[in-house]
Amino acid sequence: MATAEEELLQELRSKATELFLREQWAESSGLCSQLIDLCRAHLSIADRASDPDRFSKLQRSLCLALANRADAGSKLRSLDGALRDCDEALAIESSHFRALVCKGKILLSLGRYSAALECFKSAASLDPQGNGNAESLNVWLDKCKKLEYQSRTGNFDLSDWVSAGFRGEIPELAEYIGPVEIKKSEISGRGLFATKNIDAGTVVLVTRAIAIERGIVGGEGSGSGENKQLVMWKNFIERVAGCVSRCRRTRHLISTLSSGEDEEGLEVPDLSIFRAEASESHDYPDEKLDMNKILGILDVNSLVENAISAKVMGRNKDYYGVGLWLLASFINHSCGPNARRLHVGNHLMVIASRDIRAGEELAFAYFDVLQPPTKRREMAAAWGFDCSCKRCEFEEKMQSKQELRDTETALEGGMDAGGVVYRLEEGMRRWNVRGKEKGYLRASFWAAYGGTYASEKSAKRWGRRIPAAEAVVDSVAEAAGSDERVLKVLVEQLSRSGGGLGGGAMVEMEKALKLGRGIHGKVIKKQALRALLEL
């Protein structure tokens, strides 16, 4: 290779490396592109037969430049292009250590854990001890093995992090799709359905946000919170638009979401397209997604982290956060929900908040469902729909009973909570309301039940004229899933009883733990959950 040629290539390499170390990824990538173009130009006219040494040096330079540009591209989240650079580098030299490690990291961030593991194993076979990379490579190997196991089995454990008071790094989570399928929904459009029986607390789905925006919205000055939310919303839209422009797969998956129009005519996508490991075999169309369509999709599908049916774990609980999580967007609302969200870092975990039967549709509570029917109808209207779940249908029929309407009026008018509970329980006895339907009405008047049981004085005053708190908690949890307010009543009852180890107390403690699993999931093991619930 000519000296001047070598010097120019070395100069470009050095500048690109310096910019990379300064975390000026775009500038570093630009210089790598110049270096790649230069190498390709020289290779196009180089004679391999007459000067094999020069040809070989140019190929090595091209290979390294591609690996470096891939590294910079991955930092910029331009993962499609970065992956192509890695593949081109490895086509030149299949055992190129830098390209293998870079490709492994990209595949790992894309959730393609098995393929990433193969890259790291290949890199490990190249004796990285010689260049001091053994320790860092082992870290990547261990991380990849752990995430691959989580993704395959759905076994997640946040116990140590919870027991440590959420200190330290947020646990890394794999993306996981449990026993669910997408089908047409009787609630609205499409929905997510269980393909087998699922126990309360089971992780049904774990998905990472396509984009997320967080910030503190409280503060001085009227309207300051609303203004901050508007700024955050604008930033969030820009983040999503950036993801859409950089990745064909992301663009296609977002395009499958509803924009609020023609819900019944929407195509039911194959669940397999959402599996990261299968993305290599899918040919995602290079479709257009204009800003108006993006805005419509985000308006319908964006989720706020700290919502009524969600639990934010760790330090993010102090922030207002809005994000887009793809598969979770298919979960409809019901006033008898069976699922909740657990937010851990940028990941959303869908947890069964009560036992779910095979074939049953998963449903969140979009708003507070421990409210009377009239209030819930108002909230549903604010969301732009009429709820026609089994609970709402039952309560619609019950609205013909003047006494029930009077009870709702009495609660709003400030009637003694115990009196409201007594009145409703007597009414249900006369109306012959039983089983789950009794839980529906108790959930609707939870404010009265919760207020009565929270006060020792009130609980003693009404005594045996109202049902035991434990029985009400059971029926409400069965009707509306686990809820922290319901769990709190049960924990307080245990506390008042002194937490003894008698048979009754043990049974109630197990009930409390089951309710706790419906909120926090089985990802928190028994001892850590007991501590979290202060049992």
Side-chain angles (χ1 to χ4, degrees), residues 270-420:
D270 189 330
L271 187 73
S272 66
I273 67 172
F274 295 92
R275 297 186 185 277
E277 290 283 12
S279 62
E280 190 173 7
S281 61
H282 282 286
D283 184 20
Y284 296 100
D286 189 16
E287 56 215 309
K288 299 294 182 185
L289 202 58
D290 63 39
M291 186 54 72
N292 285 335
K293 182 73 180 291
I294 291 173
L295 289 173
I297 289 170
L298 293 183
D299 188 48
V300 172
N301 298 282
S302 299
L303 295 173
V304 175
E305 286 185 301
N306 201 357
I308 196 70
S309 62
K311 180 77 176 176
V312 181
M313 308 291 281
R315 59 177 176 265
N316 288 340
K317 67 181 182 215
D318 296 326
Y319 292 85
Y320 171 87
V322 59
L324 178 66
W325 293 268
L326 292 172
L327 266 181
S329 299
F330 287 91
I331 300 179
N332 284 307
H333 165 86
S334 172
C335 292
N338 55 21
R340 289 179 58 88
R341 307 186 330 245
L342 198 64
H343 290 268
V344 181
N346 289 351
H347 285 78
L348 178 153
M349 309 180 87
V350 176
I351 306 290
S353 64
R354 58 174 172 80
D355 296 342
I356 300 174
R357 299 185 307 277
E360 188 178 347
E361 182 173 358
L362 272 67
F364 289 143
Y366 285 10
F367 46 78
D368 186 3
V369 294
L370 298 188
Q371 296 278 352
T374 305
K375 291 282 187 185
R376 296 205 317 279
R377 279 195 293 273
E378 291 173 1
M379 288 186 281
W383 276 78
F385 65 88
D386 293 320
C387 185
S388 57
C389 68
K390 289 181 179 178
R391 177 180 168 189
C392 285
E393 286 182 350
F394 164 71
E395 290 182 327
E396 183 69 30
K397 294 174 185 174
M398 294 297 294
Q399 285 298 296
S400 62
K401 300 187 181 298
Q402 182 62 43
E403 192 174 349
L404 183 63
R405 296 200 302 272
D406 291 344
T407 301
E408 187 172 341
T409 302
L411 178 63
E412 292 174 354
M415 180 180 178
D416 174 70
V420 173

